[in-house]
Amino acid sequence: MSDLRDAAMTSKAWPFEEARRLLKRYEKKAPEKGYVLFETGYGPSGLPHIGTFGEVLRTTMIRRAFELISDIPTRLICFSDDLDGMRKVPGNVPDSEALAEHLQKPLTSVPDPFGTHDSFGAHNNAMLRRFLDTFGFEYEFISATEFYRSGQFDEVLLRAAERYDDVMKVMLKSLRDERRQTYSIFLPIHPETGRVLYVPIKHVDAANGTITFDTEDGQEMTLPVTGGNVKLQWKPDFGARWAALDVDFEMYGKDHSTNTPIYDRICEILGGKKPEHFTYELFLDENGQKISKTSGNGISIDEWLTYASTESLSYFMYAKPKTAKRMHFDVIPKAVDEYHQQLRAHAGQDAAARVNNPVFHIHPDGVPESRMVVPFSMLLNLASVAGAERKDQLWGFIQRYAPDASAEANPDMDQAVGHALRYYADFVKPAKVYRAPTDLEREALMELRDQLAAYDGRRDDEALQSVVYGVGRDRFDPLRDWFKALYEVLLGASQGPRFGGFIALYGVDETVQLIDDALAGKFI
């Protein structure tokens, strides 16, 4: 462990860079509360999505990195903003029309359309917790409704009333002129209708901790700022929550980054110390548009896990969090293969290399051994050429290539076989486009066919790759045009695996027949 800690203190892996930055916060004095607090927030207006997974996963990676370099205890809080008013009726719930009368009520005061929980907010909170538990995250859950109503937030809310003008000054700088006229950091919750009111505040009584306002029907009303009678607007709420909980670290997407100075300053005005932040870039779809759960573009958690493992998704989330990344189905095979490459590399690495390996951060309790004897991308090509629809068809090829492999001894391989069949059926098969070879390509393919038909050497990846390479070397410049021709003419794809490895897996005789069929025009 000492070797790993020493290596972690100089590691360039981003979780350790962030952990070391956080450690500096307490290099002179340990936290009075006795632990370092990580927080991640969630708006429970809908179901958890891939952004939620990424945020909690990345925060967890930094937390684990911190625990390796420091002996200070840590906590992770997942905070649900379930006191927010329901601004629109979701269209994907049962009997959505019945929710219209509950608009602007806190989500925890809206009836659950699914009929399984006390409120719509409670239902979505349960979905969030089930989601996080499925992936094994260690966290503590806090409901904003409970936080406000239980009095845990009262001290900071009273301070917000005392320092109202200072907090308003921060907020007003960020607002348009027309918004400034009616804006207040406090949103009263009507004691009779239960609705969150967006109304101007006539008076803030710091001594008594109350606010006075006119309701929407013109009735003057005074409410205490404590006990869940009011809530803070979302930007002040961010900073106030940091102050109330004494948050040390929170990450959020780039779309929040312009608000960071606002959150920080409000936290400080309300007596807190601004936390360390980490701003990550947003995910894009295949067209370069921001992924949105509203528009439904990009890829969901369930969709990814239909075609690949959780660990491959964690690997994708780990890589370059400060770079915008396109997240669509075509990235899945690459993520799977790179993840297993890193697993194999980890086994022979020293401490310094291991702490820089992504799988070290994906598997904090011990990095498993990869039992993938065939890359995922090659499985897809094999499924394509063989027209495979069942696991046993692919396993027949795999066991000829690697006789000791089996579904029992290689569970990750077996899982990948199932994923490959689904991915092939949904994405590869519909997109296959074969073409006829040019005269030069036909000549080369015939030469390759003849050499393979007469081949009596070693039938491993390297030996067969040499045969393929030798046929193309004297005919193609650049040589990649030869391999591109192999993929397009024989596999119906624009790219593919290392072709020698494919022949070793598919079989020499089978490849000869594949070339014969392609040259006879059977695929066009």
Side-chain angles (χ1 to χ4, degrees):
M1 182 62 77
S2 61
D3 289 346
L4 286 175
R5 176 172 285 193
D6 291 344
M9 292 304 293
T10 58
S11 169
K12 295 188 180 299
W14 63 264
F16 284 120
E17 290 182 336
E18 293 305 310
R20 292 195 300 268
R21 187 162 61 87
L22 181 55
L23 185 59
K24 287 182 179 179
R25 186 177 177 91
Y26 292 113
E27 62 185 351
K28 294 181 180 178
K29 184 181 178 183
E32 291 183 6
K33 60 183 179 291
Y35 53 86
V36 165
L37 182 61
F38 295 81
E39 185 189 44
T40 183
Y42 169 70
S45 57
L47 296 177
H49 57 99
I50 206 156
T52 308
F53 173 80
E55 194 162 302
V56 179
L57 174 74
R58 288 166 168 171
T59 301
T60 297
M61 287 177 172
I62 296 171
R63 180 189 182 189
R64 290 165 174 167
F66 183 87
E67 290 173 342
L68 181 58
I69 65 172
S70 171
D71 295 321
I72 303 174
T74 67
R75 292 173 61 192
L76 169 61
I77 285 175
C78 183
F79 196 100
S80 172
D81 293 310
D82 56 18
L83 198 60
D84 289 351
M86 184 176 69
R87 298 203 174 193
K88 63 179 181 179
V89 176
N92 59 347
V93 299
D95 197 18
S96 58
E97 297 82 3
L99 295 184
E101 63 180 282
H102 301 285
L103 284 171
Q104 300 307 330
K105 288 184 181 179
L107 291 162
T108 45
S109 298
V110 176
D112 178 17
F114 298 93
T116 58
H117 293 80
D118 293 338
S119 68
F120 189 35
H123 174 273
N124 288 346
N125 285 339
M127 296 302 101
L128 171 67
R129 299 181 75 169
R130 187 179 307 159
F131 175 85
L132 297 176
D133 292 344
T134 297
F135 297 109
F137 291 120
E138 295 178 8
Y139 66 96
E140 300 167 48
F141 181 81
I142 292 182
S143 156
T145 301
E146 176 66 18
F147 196 60
Y148 273 88
R149 293 177 181 171
S150 67
Q152 296 176 78
F153 213 180
D154 282 358
E155 182 180 347
V156 168
L157 289 168
L158 289 169
R159 200 171 296 145
E162 293 169 5
R163 303 174 186 178
Y164 182 77
D165 291 341
D166 291 336
V167 179
M168 282 291 290
K169 191 180 298 182
V170 173
M171 287 306 307
L172 292 177
K173 287 180 182 178
S174 68
L175 301 175
R176 298 187 302 273
D177 287 341
E178 62 271 22
R179 183 85 169 101
R180 293 178 185 175
Q181 306 307 313
T182 60
Y183 182 85
S184 171
I185 63 170
F186 290 116
L187 298 176
I189 298 176
H190 199 292
E192 296 170 8
T193 68
R195 286 183 164 81
V196 179
L197 303 179
Y198 289 80
V199 294
I201 301 301
K202 296 172 69 174
H203 178 63
V204 177
D205 186 337
N208 292 307
T210 61
I211 57 171
T212 300
F213 56 95
D214 287 338
T215 64
E216 292 160 327
D217 59 6
Q219 176 189 1
E220 185 175 276
M221 189 174 288
T222 298
L223 290 176
V225 299
T226 54
N229 289 287
V230 308
K231 74 175 296 294
L232 291 169
Q233 293 259 21
W234 71 273
K235 290 181 186 178
D237 185 89
F238 228 106
R241 194 165 71 220
W242 287 349
L245 291 169
D246 192 13
V247 174
D248 292 297
F249 180 92
E250 181 152 355
M251 70 162 54
Y252 37 77
K254 183 183 178 182
D255 49 349
H256 277 275
S257 60
T258 55
N259 296 322
T260 298
I262 296 173
Y263 305 153
D264 284 348
R265 184 64 191 125
I266 290 174
C267 175
E268 292 171 337
I269 290 171
L270 297 179
K273 180 180 180 181
K274 64 183 182 182
E276 306 302 319
H277 325 101
F278 182 90
T279 303
Y280 56 84
E281 267 287 359
L282 304 178
F283 294 112
L284 310 176
D285 65 14
E286 58 188 327
N287 299 313
Q289 300 298 310
K290 174 187 170 184
I291 286 180
S292 164
K293 62 179 177 180
T294 303
S295 60
N297 59 334
I299 183 172
S300 71
I301 286 273
D302 288 341
E303 287 170 331
W304 185 293
L305 298 183
T306 298
Y307 306 111
S309 65
T310 306
E311 292 80 11
S312 66
L313 177 57
S314 297
Y315 174 84
F316 183 84
M317 289 289 178
Y318 173 89
K320 298 180 179 178
K322 287 187 174 289
T323 301
K325 292 189 294 184
R326 298 196 180 204
M327 188 172 193
H328 50 94
F329 292 101
D330 289 351
V331 307
I332 292 177
K334 183 172 184 285
V336 173
D337 285 340
E338 289 184 357
Y339 164 70
H340 281 277
Q341 288 168 9
Q342 297 291 358
L343 283 183
R344 288 189 289 273
H346 181 272
Q349 290 175 330
D350 60 14
R354 285 187 171 187
V355 296
N356 287 316
N357 189 322
V359 298
F360 180 86
H361 302 274
I362 295 169
H363 298 283
D365 298 323
V367 177
E369 177 186 1
S370 172
R371 305 290 294 171
M372 283 277 284
V373 294
V374 175
F376 189 70
S377 56
M378 195 173 291
L379 276 181
L380 295 177
N381 288 112
L382 179 61
S384 177
V385 172
E389 297 181 352
R390 303 189 317 273
K391 277 188 172 185
D392 63 307
Q393 292 173 288
L394 291 186
W395 268 109
F397 289 102
I398 294 167
Q399 289 178 319
R400 186 172 61 184
Y401 174 77
D404 294 334
S406 68
E408 295 73 27
N410 303 70
D412 48 0
M413 185 80 246
D414 189 57
Q415 181 188 51
V417 167
H419 287 145
L421 290 172
R422 288 191 287 272
Y423 192 96
Y424 163 69
D426 292 346
F427 298 106
V428 179
K429 187 176 181 180
K432 286 170 68 172
V433 179
Y434 292 93
R435 68 169 176 83
T438 65
D439 290 343
L440 177 61
E441 291 166 353
R442 176 176 288 275
E443 174 191 308
L445 283 166
M446 290 178 65
E447 175 66 19
L448 177 59
R449 180 245 184 254
D450 291 344
Q451 288 201 30
L452 290 176
Y455 187 75
D456 61 356
R458 298 193 330 272
R459 301 200 169 195
D460 58 55
D461 303 23
E462 291 301 326
L464 291 166
Q465 182 72 6
S466 296
V467 175
V468 178
Y469 183 85
V471 171
R473 180 179 51 207
D474 298 329
R475 292 179 172 87
F476 295 89
D477 185 18
L479 189 60
R480 65 174 174 270
D481 289 346
W482 166 227
F483 292 101
K484 188 169 184 287
L486 291 171
Y487 304 143
E488 293 177 349
V489 175
L490 301 182
L491 304 181
S494 59
Q495 55 188 354
R498 198 161 185 260
F499 209 76
F502 173 77
I503 297 171
L505 177 63
Y506 186 52
V508 172
D509 295 339
E510 287 79 1
T511 304
V512 169
Q513 185 61 54
L514 177 66
I515 296 172
D516 285 342
D517 290 344
L519 294 179
K522 291 186 177 181
F523 303 144
I524 300 174

